[in-house]
Amino acid sequence: DTEGLLRIKEENQKHYRRAQRHQEKKEKIQKHNRKLGDLVEKKTYDLKTQYEHLANLRRSHILELTSVIFPIEEVKTSMRDPADVSSESDSAMTSSTVSKLAEARRTTYLSGRWVCDDHNGDTSISITGPWIILPNNGDYSAYYSWVEEKKTTQGPDMEHNNPAHTISAALCYATQLVNTLSLILDVNLPKKLCNRQVKTQQGNHEFCGENLSRHRFTRAVKKLNANILHLCFSQHVNLDLLHPLHTLRNLMYLVSPDTENLGR
């Protein structure tokens, strides 16, 4: 029994010495982990600082791009309703007559149906200059209506002074701006739209050059609007300001200096 007790004591001493070595190793590992934690924390702070610096660079590039090359502004496009003016000059007109005149003026026959265009005194959005504008309500039916009319009617006045040219130019510039913004912000766009004056294997560039059919035109506009909304979402633009059909207005909100997260 005495010999067995001595052997057990020797084994206990060995286990104790081994436990001490393990404790020292544990303390070394914990010390190393604390150093790594401090290093990771420092690296995280440095990364956050670099992200902020990168965001400021992106923001300055975007603001310079949209102030020098692609300025987007609101443009007054409509005057006061003549029905309201006539009601002031002619006291014999009743309120019902005035309201009916105003309603008739704000109703337009588009694409085989009557549409209420209640934007009296509203504004349009211009890009690259006040002469290249898009309707504020997102109704670009003037483009494919002009294309369909051009197929049946040819004349010297068909190529000048029509809204289809300004709509096409504005959408082309908007596409070019969106593609450039995606490169600056490093955001992949969900829809592919080409704005170059070249032919690709998929076909011609969108909006510029070739007169698009109604189906191709509306499809391209939907793709452009989807890309703009995707960029707005990525930069945390206030959702209450966005509308799925307001192409240039959404772009204007995106590149506005008031957008706090622009460049993130």
Side-chain angles (χ1 to χ4, degrees):
D1 293 339
T2 303
E3 292 176 356
L5 182 62
L6 290 175
R7 285 196 303 270
I8 292 174
K9 287 182 177 180
E10 291 177 359
E11 291 178 358
N12 288 340
Q13 290 177 354
K14 290 181 181 179
H15 291 315
Y16 178 74
R17 288 191 296 268
R18 184 180 299 176
Q20 285 184 325
R21 290 195 300 269
H22 289 169
Q23 182 65 25
E24 292 174 358
K25 186 181 295 185
K26 175 185 175 182
E27 292 175 355
K28 289 182 179 179
I29 293 175
Q30 290 177 343
K31 184 178 180 180
H32 181 67
N33 288 341
R34 285 194 295 269
K35 288 183 178 180
L36 288 180
D38 295 338
L39 181 61
V40 169
E41 186 177 355
K42 181 179 180 301
K43 292 292 184 181
T44 302
Y45 177 78
D46 294 341
L47 181 62
K48 182 180 179 181
T49 304
Q50 291 297 325
Y51 274 142
E52 293 176 354
H53 178 64
L54 178 60
N56 291 330
L57 283 178
R58 289 172 172 170
R59 184 184 184 90
S60 63
H61 288 173
I62 290 174
L63 294 180
E64 183 179 8
L65 176 69
T66 54
S67 62
V68 178
I69 303 178
F70 295 103
I72 302 177
E73 299 175 343
E74 290 190 80
V75 179
K76 294 291 183 180
T77 57
S78 57
M79 302 299 292
R80 194 178 181 190
D81 197 327
D84 299 334
V85 178
S86 62
S87 65
E88 294 177 358
S89 60
D90 189 357
S91 59
M93 295 182 65
T94 62
S95 59
S96 61
T97 305
V98 173
S99 62
K100 288 179 181 179
L101 285 173
E103 182 181 359
R105 184 178 179 272
R106 293 165 187 163
T107 306
T108 308
Y109 190 74
L110 290 174
S111 304
R113 61 190 179 94
W114 290 98
V115 179
C116 180
D117 185 17
D118 191 8
H119 284 80
N120 185 36
D122 206 346
T123 59
S124 291
I125 309 297
S126 68
I127 183 171
T128 71
W131 52 89
I132 302 179
I133 62 176
L134 284 181
N136 187 41
N137 58 357
D139 181 13
Y140 310 140
S141 58
Y143 177 87
Y144 49 76
S145 297
W146 170 77
V147 172
E148 293 174 357
E149 183 180 356
K150 185 181 177 183
K151 293 178 181 179
T152 58
T153 306
Q154 294 293 338
D157 296 332
M158 289 297 298
E159 298 294 335
H160 303 283
N161 299 327
N162 66 80
H165 286 164
T166 57
I167 290 176
S168 176
L171 292 174
C172 184
Y173 284 134
T175 302
Q176 187 175 2
L177 175 58
V178 168
N179 290 341
T180 306
L181 290 176
S182 70
L183 294 176
I184 296 176
L185 296 173
D186 193 23
V187 176
N188 293 325
L189 298 175
K191 306 295 181 180
K192 184 176 181 180
L193 274 179
C194 183
N195 59 274
R196 295 172 296 173
Q197 295 283 349
V198 295
K199 273 192 173 183
T200 61
Q201 293 180 355
Q202 291 78 15
N204 291 329
H205 47 84
E206 304 291 350
F207 301 123
C208 290
E210 181 184 357
N211 296 326
L212 301 177
S213 63
R214 176 181 301 196
H215 173 71
R216 288 185 58 190
F217 179 80
T218 54
R219 181 172 177 268
V221 170
K222 289 179 181 179
K223 290 166 66 176
L224 175 59
N225 287 334
N227 286 342
I228 293 174
L229 289 176
H230 183 75
L231 287 177
C232 291
F233 298 155
S234 71
Q235 303 306 301
H236 290 179
V237 178
N238 186 1
L239 299 181
D240 295 334
L241 300 175
L242 302 178
H243 189 285
L245 300 181
H246 296 175
T247 307
L248 290 185
R249 183 171 291 277
N250 293 340
L251 260 180
M252 184 177 66
Y253 289 136
L254 171 65
V255 300
S256 171
D258 298 330
T259 304
E260 298 179 357
N261 296 296
L262 181 61
R264 64 181 295 276

